[in-house]
Amino acid sequence: MTERDYETYKFIIDYIKENGHSPSYREIADGVGVRAVSTIAERVHKLESMGKIKTKMDIPRTISVVGYKYMKVRE
């Protein structure tokens, strides 16, 4: 996994922890400082092929991180 892939992976994990749902590709791009959403799509596809995340094609906000279960704590 490259440093950029790891940065994307960590952003996804942190976003889900904070918000209780997965980020959009645009939110990932903004969060990691990338202009092209297509670049994020490539990274997400790579992370999925590595078995780090799962997605459901053509359905927004369906990224899940393999091995993690999240519960948003309400105050």
Side-chain angles (χ1 to χ4, degrees), residues 20-43:
H21 57 84
S22 63
S24 67
Y25 284 16
R26 170 55 52 206
E27 289 166 332
I28 297 170
D30 292 344
V32 299
V34 172
R35 287 187 175 196
V37 173
S38 61
T39 300
I40 297 304
E42 291 172 9
R43 290 184 192 178

Side-chain angles (χ1 to χ4, degrees), residues 39-58:
T39 300
I40 297 304
E42 291 172 9
R43 290 184 192 178
V44 167
H45 178 71
K46 184 176 178 184
L47 289 169
E48 188 169 26
S49 69
M50 294 170 65
K52 298 291 186 185
I53 62 172
K54 290 184 181 180
T55 63
K56 293 182 182 174
M57 295 298 292
D58 300 323

Side-chain angles (χ1 to χ4, degrees), residues 46-73:
K46 184 176 178 184
L47 289 169
E48 188 169 26
S49 69
M50 294 170 65
K52 298 291 186 185
I53 62 172
K54 290 184 181 180
T55 63
K56 293 182 182 174
M57 295 298 292
D58 300 323
I59 302 174
R61 299 188 186 274
T62 58
I63 299 171
S64 61
V65 180
V66 175
Y68 280 82
K69 290 192 177 193
Y70 300 94
M71 292 179 57
K72 187 170 182 182
V73 178

